[in-house]
Amino acid sequence: MFVGYARVSTHEQNLDLQNDALEKSGCEKIFTDKVSSVAAARPGIDAALSYLREGDTLVVWRLDRLGRSLKHLIEMIGELEEKKIGFKSIQESIDTSNSGGRLIFHMFGALAEFERQLIIERTRAGLAAARARGKKGGRPKALNDKEIDVALRLYNERKNSIKEICQILKISKPTLYNYLHQANNR
């Protein structure tokens, strides 16, 4: 059985184009969402995934209608394969129910992994180059050494409340407690 899934990002958009293509490709049941792909809750795809059974095929108009990212898409297709459910994308002519479609999809996966590794390598190289030039990464400190001494003195004098110390130094309570903790562990 072919089960369709269609999604548009906003309520102003309509699903007619996708629904027509899914019906034309033989989908007997179609689930829909009118929500961004990055939304945590997508009830239409959840319902479609619950409805699918071994031997069925999930059909989408385009790959970007299903996954939040290429990595997410590959994970979803992997889960479908484990359940012996096929996947078909009309626009990209991908059909994982045959060997050619599986090959193409796995090539996408390999390219995504390659891209991820390149990003990691470039990030590491950039950080190493910055360190070599004396740059330190991370968030800048909220207080300099002199301000830390003031914070410790105000705290130890016990004349000001925590709230007052934070207002004087223009920092949050967690930041103050962080500095106090660091001072106690020296």
Side-chain angles (χ1 to χ4, degrees):
M1 172 183 213
F2 283 170
V3 176
Y5 173 67
R7 182 189 59 77
V8 291
S9 299
T10 66
H11 287 283
E12 291 79 37
Q13 297 172 323
N14 79 49
L15 295 157
D16 294 344
L17 172 71
Q18 293 178 56
N19 284 337
D20 291 347
L22 293 170
E23 287 173 8
K24 187 176 178 185
S25 71
C27 291
E28 297 174 39
K29 181 100 171 135
I30 298 174
F31 295 87
T32 63
D33 277 320
K34 285 192 174 192
V35 63
S36 168
S37 67
V38 295
R42 295 191 298 158
I45 191 61
D46 293 341
L49 294 173
S50 297
Y51 185 84
L52 289 161
R53 300 291 174 252
E54 184 177 320
D56 290 346
T57 299
L58 177 63
V59 182
V60 295
W61 179 62
R62 280 184 30 179
L63 287 172
D64 66 347
R65 301 296 86 198
L66 182 62
R68 296 179 175 95
S69 64
L70 185 56
K71 180 180 183 250
H72 181 245
L73 183 63
I74 291 167
E75 288 170 1
M76 288 185 77
I77 304 306
E79 290 171 15
L80 292 173
E81 280 184 358
E82 286 175 14
K83 297 176 182 174
K84 295 183 175 41
I85 295 170
F87 172 76
K88 182 177 178 181
S89 173
I90 298 168
Q91 289 294 305
E92 290 85 6
S93 299
I94 295 174
D95 184 350
T96 65
S97 64
N98 65 51
S99 57
R102 281 191 299 279
L103 172 66
I104 290 171
F105 197 79
H106 288 290
M107 286 173 46
F108 277 148
L111 289 171
E113 178 63 23
F114 176 70
E115 178 186 26
R116 193 174 78 74
Q117 291 301 319
L118 284 177
I119 291 168
I120 290 169
E121 288 173 17
R122 283 194 302 261
T123 301
R124 286 183 181 151
L127 290 171
R131 276 192 296 277
R133 289 190 305 276
K135 305 258 184 191
K136 277 204 303 190
R139 186 178 210 156
K141 293 196 176 269
L143 301 177
N144 60 34
D145 290 341
K146 186 178 176 184
E147 292 168 325
I148 293 170
D149 290 340
V150 170
L152 293 172
R153 185 175 43 78
L154 290 171
Y155 179 78
N156 290 329
E157 287 175 354
R158 299 186 185 271
K159 292 180 182 176
N160 298 299
S161 69
I162 295 294
K163 185 176 181 180
E164 290 169 336
I165 297 170
C166 291
Q167 287 172 340
I168 292 167
L169 296 170
K170 296 182 176 75
I171 58 174
S172 67
K173 286 181 185 181
T175 300
L176 176 61
Y177 284 122
N178 222 357
Y179 282 114
L180 295 173
H181 179 74
Q182 288 173 12
N184 288 334
N185 290 331
R186 283 187 196 163

